[in-house]
C-alpha cells in the first residue's frame, strides 16, 4: 500500500507511550484494504487547541483522545454526539470532509454494551475512582437505571463534582460520593467497578478488604493489562462473577472505527489484533 493519499487516524494524549488501539485499528484497515494508518500523537495540554485546528489540514480523518485531554477536548468540537456533553468528555473524534469535528464518547457506549452482554445486576453499584473513565461508567449505569451508585475517589472534589452532575441528570438515581472504601458498603452492593489505575502494577495494593466480597457481587475491573488484576483474582477465588475491561476496549474501538469509516467493524479481526498486542 503506498503512502499516497493515506488517511491518517490516531491517538492523542500526553504522554502517549504505548497503545493497543493502534494494533486493533491498523488490523481493521488492512482487513478492508483501506489505505489508512493509526498513529500516536504526543500532544501537550498547551498544544491541544492547535492540534484540533490543524488536524484536518494535516490529513487526519479521526482520532481517539486519552489522558489528560478527554475533558478539555470537548471545547474544540463542532458537534457532539449523545453522551459527550452529558459526560463532559470525548474519547473519539471524527473529522468530516468539510473539516468539522464531531466528538463521541465510545467509552460510555463500549461499557454499556459489555455490561448488557454480561447481564450484570447494576441495582446497587459501588465505583472506585471518579476520573475520565468513571464518568462514562457512572453515566452508563445511571442511564441503565441503577437505583443506587456510591463513588469513592481519593480526590473528594472529583467524586463530588461527578455526583452533582449525575444527580441533576438522573434525579431518580440515589448517587452519592463517599470518603472511604468502607463507606461504599460493598457487602450490600450487587456490582463493583474499579475505575482507578490501581491494579496495573504488580505491587499495587488490593483496594478492598477480602471480607467485603460476597457471592452476589459482580466485579468489573476496567483494567485489561494485566488481564487478571489482584482484585479479579481474589474475587474469582471466592467464586464471584468477574470481568476485566478488554471487551469495553474492543467495543469502544469498534464504534470508533464505524464512526470514522462507515464500515461495520470486523470484530474478530480487531479482537485478535488486541490479543496479539497484549501478548507482546
Ligand atoms: P484517571 O482519569 O486518572 O482517573 C482515575 C481516578 O482514580 C483519579 O481520580 C485518581 O485520583 C483515582 N484514584 C487513584 N487511586 C485511587 C484510590 N486508591 N482510591 C480511589 N481513587 C483513586 O484515569 P481514567 O482515564 O479514568 O482510567 C482509569 C482506569 O481505567 C485506567 O486503568 C485505564 O487504563 C482504565 N480504562 C480502561 C478502559 C477500557 O476500555 N477498558 C477505558 C478507559 C480507561 P488521582 O488522580 O488523585 O490519583
Amino acid at each position: 500500500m503506498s503512502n499516497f493519499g493515506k488517511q491518517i487516524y490516531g491517538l492523542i494524549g500526553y504522554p502517549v507511550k504505548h497503545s493497543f488501539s493502534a494494533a486493533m485499528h491498523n488490523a481493521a484497515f488492512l482487513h478492508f484494504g483501506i489505505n489508512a494508518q493509526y498513529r500516536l500523537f504526543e500532544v501537550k495540554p498547551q498544544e491541544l487547541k492547535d492540534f484540533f485546528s490543524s488536524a484536518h489540514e494535516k490529513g487526519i480523518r479521526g482520532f481517539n483522545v486519552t489522558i489528560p485531554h478527554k475533558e478539555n477536548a470537548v471545547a474544540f468540537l463542532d458537534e457532539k454526539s449523545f453522551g459527550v456533553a452529558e459526560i463532559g468528555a470525548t474519547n473519539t473524534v471524527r473529522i468530516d470532509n468539510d473539516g468539522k469535528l464531531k466528538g463521541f464518547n465510545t467509552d460510555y457506549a463500549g461499557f454499556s454494551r459489555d455490561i448488557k452482554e454480561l447481564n450484570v445486576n447494576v441495582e446497587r453499584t459501588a465505583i472506585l475512582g471518579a476520573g475520565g473513565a468513571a464518568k462514562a461508567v457512572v453515566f452508563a449505569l445511571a442511564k441503565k437505571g441503577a437505583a443506587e451508585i456510591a463513588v469513592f475517589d481519593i480526590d473528594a472534589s472529583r467524586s463530588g463534582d461527578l455526583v452533582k452532575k449525575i444527580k441533576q441528570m438522573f434525579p431518580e438515581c440515589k448517587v452519592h460520593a463517599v470518603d472511604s472504601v468502607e463507606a461504599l458498603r460493598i457487602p450490600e452492593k450487587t456490582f463493583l467497578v474499579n475505575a482507578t489505575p490501581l491494579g496495573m502494577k504488580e505491587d499495587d495494593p488490593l483496594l478492598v478488604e477480602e471480607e467485603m466480597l460476597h457471592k452476589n457481587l459482580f466485579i468489573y475491573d476496567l483494567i485489561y493489562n494485566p488481564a487478571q488484576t489482584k482484585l479479579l483474582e481474589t474475587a474469582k477465588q471466592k467464586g464471584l462473577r468477574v470481568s476485566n475491561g478488554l471487551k469495553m476496549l474492543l467495543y469502544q474501538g469498534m464504534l470508533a472505527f464505524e464512526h470514522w469509516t462507515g464500515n461495520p467493524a470486523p470484530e474478530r479481526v480487531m479482537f485478535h489484533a488486541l490479543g496479539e498486542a497484549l501478548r507482546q
Side-chain angles (χ1 to χ4, degrees), residues 67 70 107 128-134 152-155 158 194-198 200 207 222-224 245-246 248-249 252:
I67 297 174
K70 283 186 185 182
D107 278 342
L128 293 160
F152 169 62
D153 192 294
I154 37 172
D155 181 342
R158 236 177 259 175
N194 177 33
T196 77
L198 261 93
M200 291 176 86
L207 277 177
L222 259 62
I223 296 170
Y224 46 83
L246 190 63
M248 173 179 171
L249 180 70
Q252 67 75 29

Side-chain angles (χ1 to χ4, degrees), residues 119-165:
N119 200 18
V120 181
N121 175 4
V122 303
E123 187 72 15
R124 294 182 304 282
T125 297
I127 314 276
L128 293 160
K135 283 185 175 144
V137 162
V138 174
F139 178 76
L141 291 166
K143 194 166 170 293
K144 195 173 161 59
E148 192 194 334
I149 305 173
V151 186
F152 169 62
D153 192 294
I154 37 172
D155 181 342
S157 69
R158 236 177 259 175
S159 47
D161 289 348
L162 169 57
V163 160
K164 204 168 137 198
K165 214 167 164 194

Side-chain angles (χ1 to χ4, degrees), residues 16-192:
V16 276
K17 289 186 211 110
H18 188 69
S19 158
F20 296 106
S21 296
M24 191 165 46
H25 287 292
N26 284 328
F29 292 141
L30 196 66
H31 175 78
F32 282 114
I34 299 172
N35 187 16
Q37 193 185 28
Y38 189 99
R39 301 177 186 170
L40 304 183
F41 300 103
E42 190 151 275
V43 177
K44 294 189 177 121
Q46 62 271 29
E47 298 164 348
L48 190 64
K49 191 176 178 198
D50 234 34
F51 181 88
F52 270 74
S53 55
S54 63
H56 183 238
E57 277 164 33
K58 289 179 184 151
I60 300 171
R61 307 284 293 264
F63 52 93
N64 288 129
V65 184
T66 190
I67 297 174
H69 303 314
K70 283 186 185 182
E71 282 141 352
N72 292 337
V74 177
F76 306 120
L77 298 170
D78 297 305
E79 221 186 307
K80 302 173 192 85
S81 91
F82 176 74
V84 172
E86 291 82 355
I87 295 163
T90 183
N91 73 317
T92 299
V93 177
R94 181 181 72 214
I95 306 181
D96 290 331
N97 290 338
D98 58 1
K100 287 255 178 341
L101 296 123
K102 180 164 183 179
F104 303 85
N105 192 308
T106 67
D107 278 342
Y108 144 69
F111 176 76
S112 297
R113 177 174 169 190
D114 198 19
I115 58 163
K116 188 171 177 218
E117 285 179 4
L118 290 164
N119 200 18
V120 181
N121 175 4
V122 303
E123 187 72 15
R124 294 182 304 282
T125 297
I127 314 276
L128 293 160
K135 283 185 175 144
V137 162
V138 174
F139 178 76
L141 291 166
K143 194 166 170 293
K144 195 173 161 59
E148 192 194 334
I149 305 173
V151 186
F152 169 62
D153 192 294
I154 37 172
D155 181 342
S157 69
R158 236 177 259 175
S159 47
D161 289 348
L162 169 57
V163 160
K164 204 168 137 198
K165 214 167 164 194
I166 295 291
K167 263 188 183 149
Q168 281 165 359
M169 284 185 281
F170 301 95
E172 68 290 352
C173 177
K174 229 177 102 203
V175 52
H176 49 272
V178 300
D179 58 7
S180 67
V181 173
E182 290 69 35
L184 285 171
R185 299 168 81 117
I186 293 168
E188 296 165 18
K189 298 293 189 283
T190 57
F191 191 32
L192 171 69

